[in-house]
């Protein structure tokens, strides 16, 4: 005989059966399933502070970064960042780059007389909206300010996300010897619009100008930023092959894009872009990580340039551009 508890357990499915039976369960074919979507995307308001005692790349020797900190300039959490995440539909237009400024200018909030604004209105206009058009399945992440201040002020928008990056030292370390490459790095500035896109192109490939074959499904990175004040000690010479002496100290470092002939569309900010995907070398035949279509544009101002603790004047780079840069990284 069943106990009371056993009878209850036995009868429970029967009690639930009528409401379940009244709900018709159907399988979805591929076409129906493709029409099932979630929300348009998610927005994350982000506050964070990052501290790292040491980061090392180790092979026979190592290169280490010590005492890294990323925060607000006053040392509190880096804040006022809004991260929007979307998976695009076919031909969907999503926010990208300076499209927010184009949108404000179109609404009459910002004057169209500024050449950068005119360029943004032209660059980001897509079918009556402003942004960039994406393909079905592209994952799109856009980073901008949560609160951009006065909607009629470009300055408020461009300086809404401020940051400080500090690094104690960068060292090359071997089994017996080590050398400090850079130390006392302090950078303060502003983060402009930043975009990270994972392009969904299936198994398609393309050939770069250098002959390397890369996947068309790739990670695309695009950012604008400004270093308004920075300093560092350059402890070992011949690191970047710009100068052949050590003991260099730089104060008042500024990185922007307000001089020269390539400022249009950058709103005074330096910019960096890169694409990453699987790739195969044309000459080596090796398969690895392809970093391609790399571009960096900036003007660099070093008003206090010291050698051996004594200032020798100032150094400036106008229209400093790194372009046509492709790399294939693989193990050996």
């Amino acid at each position: 005989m069943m106990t009371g508890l056993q009878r209850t357990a036995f009868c429970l499915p029967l009690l639930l059966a009528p409401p379940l039976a009244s709900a018709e369960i159907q399988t979805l074919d591929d076409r129906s399933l493709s029409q099932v979507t979630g929300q348009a995307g998610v927005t994350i308001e982000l506050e964070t502070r990052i501290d790292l005692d040491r980061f090392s790349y180790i092979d026979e020797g190592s290169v280490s970064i010590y005492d890294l900190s990323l925060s607000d300039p006053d040392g509190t959490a880096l804040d006022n960042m809004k991260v929007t995440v979307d998976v695009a539909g076919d031909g969907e237009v999503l926010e990208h780059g300076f499209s927010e400024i184009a949108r404000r200018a179109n609404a009459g909030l910002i004057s169209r007389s500024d050449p950068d604004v005119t360029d943004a209105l032209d660059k980001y206009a897509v079918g009556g909206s402003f942004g960039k058009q994406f393909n079905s399945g592209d994952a799109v992440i856009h980073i901008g300010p949560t609160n951009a201040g006065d909607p009629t002020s470009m300055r408020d928008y461009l300086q809404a996300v401020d940051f400080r990056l500090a690094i104690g030292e960068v060292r090359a370390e071997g089994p017996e010897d080590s050398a400090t490459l850079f130390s006392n790095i302090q950078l303060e500035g502003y983060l402009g619009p930043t975009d990270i896109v994972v392009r969904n192109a299936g198994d398609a490939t393309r050939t770069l100008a250098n002959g390397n074959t890369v996947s068309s499904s790739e990670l695309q990175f695009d950012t604008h930023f400004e270093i308004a004040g920075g300093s560092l000690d350059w402890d070992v010479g011949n690191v970047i092959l710009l100068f052949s002496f050590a003991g260099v100290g730089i104060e008042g470092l500024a990185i922007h894009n307000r001089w020269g002939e390539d400022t249009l569309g950058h709103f005074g900010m330096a910019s960096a872009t890169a694409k990453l995907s699987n790739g195969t070398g044309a000459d080596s035949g090796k398969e690895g990580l392809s970093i391609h279509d790399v571009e960096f544009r900036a003007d660099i101002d070093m008003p206090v340039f010291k050698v051996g603790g004594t200032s020798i004047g100032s150094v400036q780079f106008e229209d400093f551009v790194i372009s046509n840069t492709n790399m294939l990284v693989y193990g050996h």
Side-chain angles (χ1 to χ4, degrees):
M1 294 180 65
M2 290 189 293
T3 66
L5 179 61
Q6 289 173 326
R7 284 194 295 269
T8 301
F10 177 78
C11 293
L12 185 59
L14 299 179
L15 293 172
L16 294 174
L20 289 175
S22 65
E24 185 179 2
I25 300 175
Q26 296 181 338
T27 60
L28 294 176
D29 58 25
D30 289 343
R31 181 177 179 181
S32 299
L33 189 60
S34 69
Q35 296 173 351
V36 177
T37 61
Q39 297 297 317
V42 296
T43 298
I44 304 168
E45 293 185 5
L46 178 63
E47 296 183 12
T48 185
R49 178 187 166 106
I50 299 172
D51 293 285
L52 182 65
D53 286 342
R54 185 181 73 174
F55 168 81
S56 298
Y57 170 74
I58 303 172
D59 196 347
E60 295 299 323
S62 65
V63 175
S64 299
I65 297 174
Y66 288 91
D67 300 324
L68 181 148
S69 175
L70 178 63
S71 67
D72 197 77
D74 64 6
T76 59
L78 180 65
D79 59 6
N80 200 29
M81 287 192 300
K82 182 175 69 176
V83 182
T84 57
V85 183
D86 292 274
V87 178
D90 190 24
E92 185 174 5
V93 178
L94 297 171
E95 188 170 0
H96 191 274
F98 291 104
S99 60
E100 172 62 22
I101 287 184
R103 190 176 298 109
R104 293 184 187 187
N106 184 67
L109 297 173
I110 295 176
S111 173
R112 297 168 176 251
S113 61
D114 187 298
D116 284 336
V117 174
T118 302
D119 179 79
L121 283 165
D122 179 63
K123 181 184 297 182
Y124 297 107
V126 184
S129 184
F130 294 95
K132 186 173 182 178
Q133 193 170 45
F134 293 95
N135 300 324
S136 178
D138 288 349
V140 181
I141 300 173
H142 178 80
I143 302 174
T146 302
N147 182 356
D150 183 354
T152 67
S153 171
M154 284 198 300
R155 179 186 177 88
D156 280 7
Y157 175 81
L158 297 172
Q159 297 186 357
V161 182
D162 53 354
F163 69 90
R164 181 178 70 185
L165 174 65
I167 297 175
E169 61 178 335
V170 180
R171 293 183 61 85
E173 302 168 317
E176 299 180 0
D177 300 313
S178 66
T180 299
L181 307 179
F182 302 95
S183 63
N184 300 320
I185 301 171
Q186 297 281 341
L187 304 175
E188 293 189 8
Y190 307 100
L191 179 66
T194 298
D195 297 278
I196 302 170
V197 178
V198 181
R199 282 288 192 178
N200 175 22
D203 297 327
T205 61
R206 62 189 178 97
T207 302
L208 302 178
N210 64 0
N212 290 359
T213 301
V214 300
S215 172
S216 295
S217 293
E218 60 190 7
L219 174 67
Q220 300 176 348
F221 176 77
D222 189 336
T223 186
H224 280 81
F225 65 95
E226 178 182 350
I227 302 299
S231 62
L232 61 89
D233 293 327
W234 186 354
D235 299 284
V236 175
N238 293 319
V239 176
I240 311 179
L241 302 180
L242 294 176
F243 302 97
S244 59
F245 43 78
V248 169
I250 298 171
E251 298 176 5
L253 173 68
I255 302 175
H256 51 82
N257 193 353
R258 289 192 287 268
W259 305 333
E261 299 179 356
D262 69 343
T263 63
L264 186 64
H266 297 289
F267 291 89
M269 293 186 131
S271 63
T273 64
K275 299 175 182 177
L276 293 82
S277 71
N278 181 63
T280 303
D283 297 326
S284 66
K286 297 287 187 178
E287 184 175 348
L289 172 65
S290 175
I291 305 173
H292 49 274
D293 296 344
V294 176
E295 183 176 285
F296 173 77
R297 293 182 177 272
D299 302 314
I300 304 174
D301 185 16
M302 295 178 278
V304 179
F305 196 91
K306 294 182 177 180
V307 178
T310 302
S311 176
I312 62 170
S314 63
V315 176
Q316 293 181 339
F317 295 90
E318 184 175 302
D319 291 346
F320 184 92
V321 178
I322 298 173
S323 62
N324 300 318
T325 302
N326 303 298
M327 295 172 280
L328 185 68
V329 182
Y330 53 88
H332 63 271

